[in-house]
Amino acid sequence: MKAKKFKLQQNIIILFAMLVLVVIFCAFNPNFIDKYNILSMAQSLAPYAVMSLGVTFVIATGGIDLSIGTVCIAAAVVSGKMFTTGMIPLWATIPVMVAIGTLFGFVNGLLIAKLKIPAFIATLGTMMFSRGLSALIVADPNIFFPSNTWYNRTFSNANGIPTGIIWVLGFMLICMYLMYKNKVGRYTLAIGSNEEATRLSGINTERYKILAYTIGGLGAGVAAIFWSAAFPTVAAATGNGMELDAIAGVYIGGTSAAGGAASVSGSVIGAALLVVIRNGLNMVLAKFNLNLNSTYVTYVLTGIIVVAAVLMDVIKTKNQNKVKVEKATKVAKKES
């Protein structure tokens, strides 16, 4: 109950911080709350939020997945190439993207759980592999998905309605069920808390660690659908850096960097906060003609926020351990 209360409090703090930022950005540039800008932010949020939801399961095990950004783009460009060359119809790009993302996630899980390769090294390798492979397969500099079709309306924007966000909320509910009401989430969190104790209790930790990375890859594949629907021109050489925003959103949302504790809704809220910051800085810098790259300014602020979020998690964990030690000491003294 205390953990749930803490997550709720942290989500409220993030939402309040987001509201303050919105007020500040509006004060500098009233166009920030223009309906077209809000729609643009919603379209940008969908792929990052879905990636954050998937990688939440990975981080909950105490792991990391650096490949989700390049896997997302690889899934989009490979399926887009198949569509533009007439190999598959547009609707078939959807299962192809999901399959590519899921396959990469499964491979990551095998490398880490079965072959015992450190998560950082394994996913760094698949990140470079997926980016290089997509660039080799797709010789064209850009892949063009159709615009103003059922595809865009279903997954991005239907006459001003951000349909992507509706999908995100649905995926969030599914992930919340898996994390909090299903053995997948219970075992995932148990692995993050103490993998060896979980293994000794009879749980197949390798299987559930592979499953966690597979879910992370699945999230990257699904994110490719929303990315290609919102941004029909997809460049084969992009993808690096997307994973950092998704992972940062997870940390900001309250999932423990050490594993064992996760906030699914917090991951979406954290991703939304970063989108607000990025978009707001773009508009403020553009209005005042400041000679600063908004992307780099965003990185600076994101870095500060992530470090602060992880520091809060470390302090919280330290205090919880201290309380446990004090209780155990009191019990020992009473028994003696």
Side-chain angles (χ1 to χ4, degrees):
M1 290 298 293
K2 288 183 178 180
K4 289 182 179 179
K5 186 177 180 181
F6 179 83
K7 290 173 189 174
L8 179 61
Q9 290 174 343
Q10 187 157 348
N11 287 347
I12 292 173
I13 291 171
I14 299 171
L15 288 171
F16 179 75
M18 195 185 308
L19 179 62
V20 171
L21 285 172
V22 169
V23 172
I24 293 172
F25 289 139
C26 286
F28 283 108
N29 192 336
N31 289 330
F32 181 76
I33 56 172
D34 181 84
K35 65 178 182 179
Y36 296 107
N37 189 55
I38 293 174
L39 178 61
S40 175
M41 285 192 289
Q43 289 178 290
S44 299
L45 172 61
Y48 287 105
V50 172
M51 275 194 287
S52 293
L53 287 170
V55 82
T56 298
F57 287 83
V58 172
I59 294 174
T61 67
I64 193 74
D65 189 348
L66 301 176
S67 69
I68 53 176
T70 52
V71 167
C72 171
I73 296 301
V77 297
V78 172
S79 60
K81 181 67 173 181
M82 295 172 71
F83 166 69
T84 55
T85 55
M87 293 176 62
I88 58 175
L90 181 59
W91 67 265
T93 61
I94 297 171
V96 169
M97 282 188 263
V98 173
I100 291 173
T102 304
L103 177 61
F104 270 102
F106 180 71
V107 169
N108 281 333
L110 288 178
L111 293 174
I112 294 162
K114 291 291 187 181
L115 300 182
K116 309 302 179 185
I117 299 175
F120 183 90
I121 301 300
T123 59
L124 178 63
T126 51
M127 178 186 77
M128 298 173 70
F129 178 83
S130 59
R131 185 180 187 187
L133 181 65
S134 61
L136 287 172
I137 292 175
V138 185
D140 304 322
N142 296 305
I143 293 296
F144 299 97
F145 280 80
S147 57
N148 298 320
T149 66
W150 64 268
Y151 186 76
N152 311 96
R153 291 191 294 272
T154 303
F155 298 110
S156 182
N157 172 20
N159 299 320
I161 300 174
T163 49
I165 297 301
I166 298 173
W167 284 98
V168 168
L169 294 176
F171 288 131
M172 184 182 74
L173 293 175
I174 293 172
C175 289
M176 290 177 74
Y177 169 76
L178 290 175
M179 185 67 78
Y180 307 129
K181 300 294 184 180
N182 189 278
K183 66 179 181 180
V184 172
R186 290 196 297 271
Y187 294 166
T188 295
L189 294 172
I191 291 170
S193 296
N194 191 323
E195 183 173 353
E196 183 61 17
T198 304
R199 186 185 66 80
L200 293 174
S201 68
I203 296 170
N204 188 333
T205 55
E206 291 184 352
R207 176 189 300 170
Y208 286 96
K209 188 177 283 190
I210 291 172
L211 182 57
Y213 279 90
T214 302
I215 293 173
L218 173 65
V222 174
I225 300 171
F226 297 106
W227 183 270
S228 57
F231 311 104
T233 302
V234 183
T238 60
N240 278 350
M242 291 175 63
E243 70 284 342
L244 300 180
D245 286 335
I247 292 170
V250 175
Y251 288 148
I252 293 170
T255 296
S256 174
S263 176
V264 173
S265 59
S267 295
V268 175
I269 296 172
L273 177 65
L274 295 180
V275 169
V276 167
I277 292 173
R278 186 187 304 111
N279 187 275
L281 286 174
N282 275 329
M283 298 193 72
V284 170
L285 295 176
K287 181 175 181 179
F288 292 97
N289 294 319
L290 297 177
N291 190 23
L292 291 172
N293 189 310
S294 61
T295 301
Y296 299 143
V297 176
T298 303
Y299 282 154
V300 171
L301 290 178
T302 301
I304 294 171
I305 294 170
V306 169
V307 171
V310 174
L311 181 60
M312 287 175 59
D313 176 62
V314 170
I315 293 172
K316 179 194 65 152
T317 303
K318 195 173 182 179
N319 290 336
Q320 287 177 342
N321 291 337
K322 185 178 179 181
V323 171
K324 288 179 181 179
V325 170
E326 289 177 351
K327 286 183 178 180
T329 303
K330 287 180 181 179
V331 171
K333 286 181 178 179
K334 286 181 180 180
E335 290 179 350
S336 61

